[in-house]
Amino acid sequence: MSAELPSYREADVVLRDGSTVHVRPVRPDDEPGLLAFLRALSEPSRSLRFFSPAVNLVAEAQRESQVDPTRSFGLVATAGPEGRVVGHASYEILTHDRAEVAFAIADEYQGRGMGTILLGHLAEVAASSGIQVFEAWVLPTNYQMLDVFRKSGFRVEVRTLPDALLVTFPTSLTEEAIERFDRREQIAAVNALQAFLSPRSIAVIGASRQRGTVGGEVFHNLLAGEFAGPVYPVNPAAEVVQSVSAYPTVEAIPGPIDLAVVAVPAAQVPQVAEQCGRKGVRALLVLSAGFSEIGEPGRARQAELVRVCRAAGMRLIGPNCLGVANTDPAVRLNATFGPHVPLPGRIGFASQSGALGLAAIDYAGARGLGLSSFVSLGNKADLSGNDLLNYWESDPRTDVILLYLESLGNPRKFSRLARRVGRHKPIAVVKSGRSAAGARATASHTGALLAASDVTVDALFRQAGVIRTDTLDQLFDVASLLAYQPLPGGRRVGIVTNVGGPAILCVDACVAEGLEVPVLAEATQARLRQLLPAEASVANPVDMLAPATAEQYRRAIGLVAADPNVDAVIALFIPPLATCGGDVASAIADAARALERPTPLLAVFMWSQGGPEELKTPEVCIPSYAFPESAALALAHAVRHSVWRQRPFVPPPRLEGLRRDEAAALVAEALGRGAGWLEPAEVARLLACYGLPLVEQRTVATPEEAGAAAEALGGEVALKAIAPGLVHKTEAGAVRLRLHGSEAVCQAAQEMAARLAAAGRPPTAFLVQPMVPQGVELLVGIVHDPQFGPVLACGAGGVLAELLKDMAVRLTPLGREAAREMLRELNTYPLLEGYRGGPARDVPALEEVLVRVSALAEDLPQIAELDCNPVLALERGAAIVDARVRVEPARPPLPLGARS
């Protein structure tokens, strides 16, 4: 920070009531005026500003008037001819881009908009001085100050802590701030990866004379690939390495070094990194193993390596990685120690596993798939998949992005980047870890369902438009299609074949994956009848019979692709006695060249010879598969991505009437007691703050009070027991329905208490609710995942929730369209439409519940679990019958621009 006071133009500003005040920077001679201002504040106002009425006002006035430009900045608002101070705002710098902000407004000026004006002016000064984020500590009862922040036009985040709220927001307006940070990160990622993938010079530290070693192979591959710049071997024990003069250290190399490839024992890597830092190396590629993957000693070594790199301003890939490659003919970089050289192409591929990366390069080459660049991420100590998404988005040589991932360091950032990149470059991922993990114990229905699989990862990928495959084989199947064919415009598939059996398998596979195999238009069928024997089938699939010629394939594909009911074509071929497979492949390629509209074309050659070379020409490349099921699955992945891309992004709705600050204060008060489950009355208040339709309820302590509550409610009631750890109330006999009258309720409560006490769970209270009309039971819940943030689940509810496991999952925030999709994904959705003559339910009311629960979870990350079960879908409206909420202190969010 500069030692000079940030520039600020003094101004007269108009308040909400039409009066004016003068706003200017604080000066040292303001100490008496500030002291008078602070003394004039009412006791409540002083308490809200300083968290206590007992404060040394003389010391505070002195501190606020003696502004040190390197640490703080302040503004005062003055009124009247004497320039009386009526408002004060200041910030104190916490880090280079973060500051804590505080305000105080004279009592008679509160509610007139002065706080909002001072905040806007202060933020403008802070932003111009490099401060990007403001934070403020606010008492839970200080609703007025929270309202100032909310109405300021900044994107406000509120963290609820015991007895206080921590408010954070960027100093520039929301959309601009987010876009600025994202673009700044992209520029940084591109510049960093340029040094790895397009270096001007390379040093191989640990280069070996012995082939078969890591250092020997990576140095050999760089030489054999004819890298466009100088490659320097570093080996203190050898004067020459593979016919190239060697250097004892990287610092002994006479010229500058962009990229250092490190292949020395792990214990030596930090020292080598320090040498590279002194040399001015920009990028460090550490192939050596022996870091975080081996446990605590390795984690400490990796932390030291990262510290050295950060101190020197170097970026790091690895450690424990295979290397990197760039097939650009202007670079010719193969800095891997594998035996296979990637073919040039349009696919960017990254692998977290070095061994799988080796296999993938070999497999891609065997299938004729070319890569633009390859990066083995290893332990991802610094650069990660998110950085590669940023890089490949701007790389003109990359059209498709493939990733093999074992973990997601910052899933929310990955989602945001993937959603942006995927709009013009498809992303396909193999993510390991589909087995049940049970990462943490959960005590709600929602938690139990979400812990059962990696549905959270699926939800993230689905929302971000990422294609997820189960195997590397499927990954390259879909890559073959995405890299060389246009995206399908819809789900309708035309099938051309010379044998009926495989065509039936293809139809079944297409339908199973959500594709359609429609009947062709009459005009198309008529033309096909003119082309094919009378015995041929022309409806779809088009079975041309075994003797079909190459020319019939060419013409039939053209006719089917031109049909208005077809969005993609799959051509199947099994070699008969007469027709040559190579001729058919050439005919398919000719048909592709002649297509009048962009239509993806896939070939299936059911023979042992692999994909025909005739399908791979400079003008056109047709993906070829060994079995029809593989082609159908690849096409289905492409269709789902195309549908996602065509759907416009709709931000979550702005919900009116939410009492966010009251909800935050409620959670803060609860956390003051410690983490745990909220009391039923607190749950009711919390849901009411977000307009969620919880059924009216009375919480009572004794059976007699339960009877009195039932009498007050009138009509039939439900009785429920409350006891620590009691989740499945029905199984425990802690629910009684359709009770009428105080006597029946009192007796039921006594029996319930005795039964639960005998089971070792004596009730601490009872809940009495009016009976709700019958409806379809659903579950709506939240689990706050430590990595992914709030995860929203919706599914079949009631006592069968965990048995049916009929569930849709999304990451928050949720828009109305996403809520609509969630409900329609459920197998039980027909019940909401009026199954078998039943009444139709109010689906928009359920969508509103989902959107509001999403908003609650976004605003309050302290909500560890929320379980609304059941939620009754009624003919008019929806009703939450039972709800539980568990709170715990939230993890601090990653600052904007933090490494992933």
Side-chain angles (χ1 to χ4, degrees):
M1 297 291 295
S2 169
E4 297 179 0
L5 199 67
S7 61
Y8 177 82
R9 182 180 298 173
E10 298 186 14
D12 294 318
V13 298
V14 181
L15 302 182
R16 190 176 298 149
D17 61 356
S19 61
T20 62
V21 294
H22 187 72
V23 180
R24 60 169 176 79
V26 171
R27 302 190 297 256
D29 62 359
D30 282 326
E31 180 178 343
L34 282 170
L35 179 58
F37 163 70
L38 295 175
R39 284 175 171 167
L41 291 175
S42 65
E43 184 171 309
S45 293
R46 280 203 303 272
S47 296
L48 293 175
R49 168 61 181 87
F50 298 106
F51 281 40
S52 170
V55 61
N56 188 335
L57 298 181
V58 173
E60 284 295 329
Q62 184 179 29
R63 185 177 67 85
E64 294 289 358
S65 61
Q66 303 302 316
V67 175
D68 179 354
T70 64
R71 295 190 299 122
S72 61
F73 179 79
L75 293 172
V76 290
T78 61
E82 72 281 12
R84 180 171 65 94
V85 176
V86 294
H88 175 248
S90 64
Y91 66 72
E92 290 192 11
I93 298 169
L94 303 174
T95 65
H96 71 283
D97 63 351
R98 203 173 187 94
E100 181 179 350
V101 65
F103 295 83
I105 307 296
D107 289 67
E108 67 270 28
Y109 277 84
Q110 292 177 12
R112 295 159 68 176
M114 187 191 298
T116 302
I117 290 172
L118 289 176
L119 175 59
H121 286 226
L122 203 62
E124 184 178 0
V125 173
S128 68
S129 302
I131 301 298
Q132 298 171 355
V133 178
F134 270 166
E135 64 179 47
W137 292 91
V138 181
L139 285 173
T141 54
N142 195 354
Y143 295 136
Q144 283 183 297
M145 197 67 253
L146 289 170
D147 193 54
V148 168
F149 293 134
R150 294 248 182 242
K151 293 181 178 178
S152 63
F154 298 93
R155 182 178 179 178
V156 175
E157 295 181 2
V158 180
R159 283 181 57 207
T160 303
L161 303 170
D163 301 320
L165 305 175
L166 177 59
V167 182
T168 60
F169 51 95
T171 56
S172 54
L173 289 175
T174 307
E175 295 304 323
E176 295 176 4
I178 291 175
E179 184 176 353
R180 188 181 302 124
F181 278 110
D182 283 348
R183 291 305 174 188
R184 186 178 298 160
E185 271 193 46
Q186 183 175 28
I187 292 170
V190 169
N191 289 336
L193 283 159
Q194 284 282 3
F196 287 95
L197 295 172
S198 299
R200 293 164 298 181
S201 57
I202 301 174
V204 180
I205 304 171
S208 175
R209 292 173 294 185
Q210 184 178 352
R211 294 288 306 278
T213 63
V214 172
E217 290 302 312
V218 69
F219 187 67
H220 169 79
N221 286 345
L222 284 165
L223 297 179
E226 298 182 342
F227 171 65
V231 182
Y232 303 99
V234 176
N235 186 330
E239 294 185 0
V240 175
V241 173
Q242 298 183 35
S243 302
V244 180
S245 297
Y247 296 87
T249 69
V250 68
E251 294 177 276
I253 296 173
I257 300 296
D258 281 345
L259 172 65
V261 182
V262 180
V264 301
Q268 300 175 21
V269 171
Q271 179 184 358
V272 166
E274 289 180 341
Q275 295 170 356
C276 290
R278 290 193 295 268
K279 176 64 178 174
V281 172
R282 295 175 55 203
L284 203 67
L285 176 64
V286 179
L287 311 181
S288 313
F291 292 85
S292 64
E293 76 277 6
I294 67 168
E296 187 54 42
R299 281 192 289 272
R301 185 179 296 127
Q302 183 166 307
E304 174 63 11
L305 171 61
V306 171
R307 185 196 65 77
V308 171
C309 290
R310 293 275 165 83
M314 289 185 297
R315 301 308 300 270
L316 167 69
I317 287 180
N320 186 32
C321 71
L322 171 68
V324 301
N326 183 357
T327 62
D328 185 344
V331 180
R332 301 188 303 275
L333 172 70
N334 181 14
T336 73
F337 56 88
H340 307 291
V341 180
L343 296 177
R346 310 292 300 175
I347 297 172
F349 180 57
S351 175
Q352 195 170 342
S353 163
L356 276 173
L358 278 173
I361 290 174
D362 182 25
Y363 190 63
R367 297 188 60 158
L369 281 174
L371 306 182
S372 60
S373 51
F374 165 79
V375 176
S376 171
L377 292 166
N379 294 356
K380 299 196 301 183
D382 180 18
L383 290 169
S384 69
N386 290 344
D387 298 293
L388 287 167
L389 289 183
N390 271 319
Y391 174 82
W392 280 322
E393 181 185 18
S394 62
D395 179 24
R397 297 183 61 252
T398 300
D399 294 332
V400 178
I401 298 169
L402 304 184
L403 304 172
Y404 171 79
L405 299 175
E406 295 170 353
S407 64
L408 289 165
N410 188 340
R412 293 225 152 197
K413 181 185 288 186
F414 176 88
S415 176
R416 189 172 72 249
L417 289 172
R419 187 181 289 114
R420 186 186 77 212
V421 176
R423 291 290 172 186
H424 51 279
K425 294 188 179 184
I427 302 168
V429 173
V430 174
K431 167 69 175 66
S432 60
R434 280 194 179 273
S435 59
R440 63 184 180 90
T442 53
S444 67
H445 297 279
T446 308
L449 289 167
L450 290 180
S453 69
D454 70 339
V455 291
T456 304
V457 176
D458 278 334
L460 181 148
F461 288 160
R462 185 188 303 112
Q463 288 173 257
V466 174
I467 298 167
R468 183 179 190 177
T469 67
D470 292 324
T471 65
L472 281 173
D473 192 43
Q474 293 173 7
L475 182 73
F476 286 107
D477 279 346
V478 73
S480 301
L481 175 58
L482 295 173
Y484 302 115
Q485 293 292 303
L487 284 175
R491 300 178 179 275
R492 302 167 302 175
V493 185
I495 300 171
V496 178
T497 181
N498 68 339
V499 182
I504 296 172
L505 292 175
C506 190
V507 170
D508 289 345
C510 286
V511 172
E513 291 297 329
L515 304 179
E516 302 169 8
V517 184
V519 175
L520 299 177
E522 284 297 333
T524 304
Q525 293 189 47
R527 294 189 184 96
L528 287 167
R529 289 190 189 98
Q530 295 174 358
L531 171 68
L532 303 173
E535 298 83 1
S537 173
V538 296
N540 194 20
V542 176
D543 185 356
M544 301 183 297
L545 306 179
T549 66
E551 176 62 15
Q552 287 174 324
Y553 261 98
R554 184 186 68 80
R555 294 176 61 188
I557 289 171
L559 290 171
V560 172
D563 189 282
N565 298 324
V566 170
D567 300 307
V569 178
I570 299 177
L572 296 93
F573 175 76
I574 290 183
L577 294 175
T579 307
C580 171
D583 292 342
V584 171
S586 295
I588 292 174
D590 289 341
R593 293 187 193 94
L595 293 180
E596 296 181 357
R597 61 188 175 98
T599 305
L601 175 57
L602 298 79
V604 177
F605 277 70
M606 298 183 70
W607 61 8
S608 60
Q609 301 175 33
E613 288 300 317
E614 292 83 352
L615 296 177
K616 308 165 189 174
T617 70
E619 302 87 9
V620 65
C621 188
I622 312 298
S624 179
Y625 305 90
F627 299 102
E629 296 89 345
S630 301
L633 180 58
L635 180 58
H637 281 308
V639 165
R640 285 189 283 267
H641 178 75
S642 179
V643 169
W644 172 85
R645 189 183 284 193
Q646 294 169 27
R647 185 187 308 136
F649 173 71
V650 180
R654 294 180 65 88
L655 300 174
E656 301 297 332
L658 303 187
R659 306 197 303 274
R660 288 185 164 97
D661 299 333
E662 181 182 339
L666 185 154
V667 173
E669 292 172 5
L671 285 173
R673 303 192 305 264
W677 295 96
L678 298 185
E679 298 295 332
E682 293 174 318
V683 173
R685 283 177 54 205
L686 179 64
L687 298 191
C689 287
Y690 283 81
L692 289 162
L694 181 66
V695 174
E696 182 184 1
Q697 62 185 31
R698 306 285 176 84
T699 305
V700 297
T702 67
E704 292 74 21
E705 291 177 359
E711 193 71 27
L713 289 170
E716 289 186 324
V717 299
L719 174 70
K720 303 173 184 178
I722 300 171
L726 184 60
V727 178
H728 304 289
K729 295 185 176 72
T730 302
E731 293 92 323
V735 178
R736 291 286 300 275
L737 304 177
R738 304 196 179 284
L739 299 174
H740 196 284
S742 61
E743 186 175 337
V745 172
C746 181
Q747 182 178 345
Q750 291 171 344
E751 294 170 355
M752 193 180 290
R755 183 166 51 251
L756 291 172
R761 284 186 171 177
T764 56
F766 297 94
L767 203 66
V768 184
Q769 295 175 308
M771 289 298 299
V772 181
Q774 285 191 335
V776 177
E777 293 187 342
L778 290 98
L779 175 150
V780 175
I782 289 286
V783 168
H784 196 101
D785 186 277
Q787 278 193 305
F788 291 80
V791 183
L792 176 65
C794 170
V799 296
L800 299 180
E802 292 173 36
L803 176 64
L804 295 177
K805 293 189 170 89
D806 180 21
M807 181 176 61
V809 176
R810 295 290 189 278
L811 304 184
T812 63
L814 196 73
R816 297 192 194 281
E817 183 61 33
R820 193 170 298 119
E821 288 178 2
M822 285 186 76
L823 292 171
R824 282 157 179 76
E825 283 178 20
L826 301 177
N827 295 328
T828 48
Y829 178 75
L831 295 175
L832 300 175
E833 292 187 308
Y835 185 67
R836 291 194 172 181
R841 306 296 172 171
D842 192 344
V843 174
L846 290 174
E847 295 168 0
E848 189 70 14
V849 168
L850 291 172
V851 170
R852 289 177 179 271
V853 168
S854 167
L856 185 154
E858 277 289 294
D859 291 342
L860 298 169
Q862 300 78 19
I863 304 295
E865 293 184 69
L866 180 150
D867 204 43
C868 299
N869 183 31
V871 178
L872 290 182
L874 307 175
E875 293 181 53
R876 293 189 62 183
I880 300 172
V881 176
D882 200 1
R884 305 176 77 236
V885 176
R886 184 170 66 85
V887 298
E888 63 183 21
R891 287 184 174 187
L894 280 173
L896 288 168
R899 297 299 316 139
S900 57

